[in-house]
Amino acid sequence: MKRKKKILVGCGALAGLAFLTCGGGYLWLRSWLSEAPEPLDGRRLAGPETRVILLYRAGEDDTGARELARHLAKLLEEKGKFPEEARDMIGYLGYDNLPDFAEALLPITMGVLVDKDLGRVEFASFGRHANPIARGIRYDLEKEGETLGEHDGTALFRTDDGCAAVKENTWFFATSQELLETALDRAQDAAPSREGAARHLDPSSPLTLSVEGDGDFLDRFLDQARDEKGVSFGESLRKNLDLTGRDFERCSFAGKVGVESLEGDWLLVPAGASRTPRIARSVDRLLAELVRYYLSEGLDLEHQSRRSGDEIEVHWTLGNLDRFWQDVVAE
């Protein structure tokens, strides 16, 4: 065979191989995207000892979530600190800019759960189009974290303040290895938990919060959060509003968050009927304090509260929220 003909035959063979490789890769990608799991329902991670659960769920057809994702991405590009390597990753995934990429993260679920002993689990679970993000997080853990071994085939890694893992399309963090392994086990359950605080979550609401438990737990939980002066939220409630954890059986919130507002319904359930009048007065004072605070921050708070039997219901809207988002990305 002449040299020129050999070259042509070789080029044809390479072209055929490239076509088969690309075609096979395309078919694999389509299969991967169609078979990849949906974002985790965070209620599965809750158990009877879970006292606090906060979840945010945003679907592909959620107009408000898409607007918020694009808005935050634009603010981050314009005013935030955005690492160059992250821009490279966005380009590698086929997106021209951050707003398009942020919208492609949907659907997504995120959440935080707090155990009775104040152990904490956090998670972020991505839809099929954003699965490369989970793989990138796993790569970073492998590169930077200390390996703790495996749990049912999932690698566990030590982090600065706990341990983490990536299973399929979900990133998990927990304050202890035992809690992390428990979360991984629960993620495989066939149905969401209806125990503990999870019983009171509203599955139809994008943003939900439920807190319940004995007074001692609530006091210890509220004392964890301190302001810039070192005063805990629990201490402030006891001092200024005459409220303690023993006053409440549970509280919950269901609502939605957008570019301009956070709107929802807050339900407070007193631990006993005799506590309801005093708690109602304290809630009114708390709302008045919040109105003054948010006004000083350039935000608006509108609210209506009412008694329903022994329960206290508050509907409120926090407006002019764009200023808050700008502060978030600037940090």
Side-chain angles (χ1 to χ4, degrees), residues 6 45 88:
K6 288 182 178 180
L45 304 184
D88 294 340

Side-chain angles (χ1 to χ4, degrees), residues 5-183:
K5 191 173 182 179
K6 288 182 178 180
I7 293 175
L8 290 174
V9 171
C11 288
L14 288 174
L17 179 62
F19 174 78
L20 290 174
T21 301
C22 292
Y26 171 76
L27 292 175
W28 173 84
L29 180 61
R30 285 291 301 273
S31 174
W32 174 62
L33 288 176
S34 64
E35 295 178 2
E38 290 298 312
L40 174 71
D41 186 338
R43 291 175 297 166
R44 294 185 178 184
L45 304 184
E49 67 278 11
T50 302
R51 292 295 181 264
V52 179
I53 178 168
L54 170 65
L55 295 180
Y56 177 66
R57 298 179 288 264
E60 289 177 291
D61 58 348
D62 189 330
T63 304
R66 289 205 310 271
E67 291 178 353
L68 179 59
R70 292 185 66 82
H71 183 72
L72 291 176
K74 288 179 181 178
L75 288 176
L76 189 58
E77 281 191 328
E78 295 169 359
K79 302 181 180 182
K81 299 176 182 178
F82 199 68
E84 191 63 35
E85 55 269 25
R87 295 188 186 278
D88 294 340
M89 180 190 69
I90 290 171
Y92 174 75
L93 292 174
Y95 297 96
D96 296 327
N97 54 61
L98 181 56
D100 288 341
F101 170 72
E103 187 174 330
L105 291 176
L106 304 178
I108 187 173
T109 66
M110 300 177 287
V112 180
L113 300 89
V114 180
D115 213 49
K116 186 174 182 179
D117 63 0
L118 296 182
R120 186 175 81 257
V121 174
E122 301 172 14
F123 79 95
S125 189
F126 304 96
R128 57 186 181 277
H129 299 299
N131 269 348
I133 304 300
R135 295 189 176 191
I137 295 173
R138 178 187 171 91
Y139 173 77
D140 288 341
L141 288 174
E142 292 174 343
K143 183 173 65 174
E144 301 174 3
E146 174 191 346
T147 303
L148 295 174
E150 291 189 352
H151 180 71
D152 288 342
T154 299
L156 310 180
F157 302 91
R158 187 182 306 281
T159 64
D160 290 340
D161 52 353
C163 46
V166 175
K167 185 174 181 63
E168 294 177 336
N169 60 336
T170 304
W171 164 82
F172 297 88
F173 165 84
T175 49
S176 71
Q177 184 173 342
E178 179 182 6
L179 201 52
L180 178 60
E181 292 175 353
T182 299

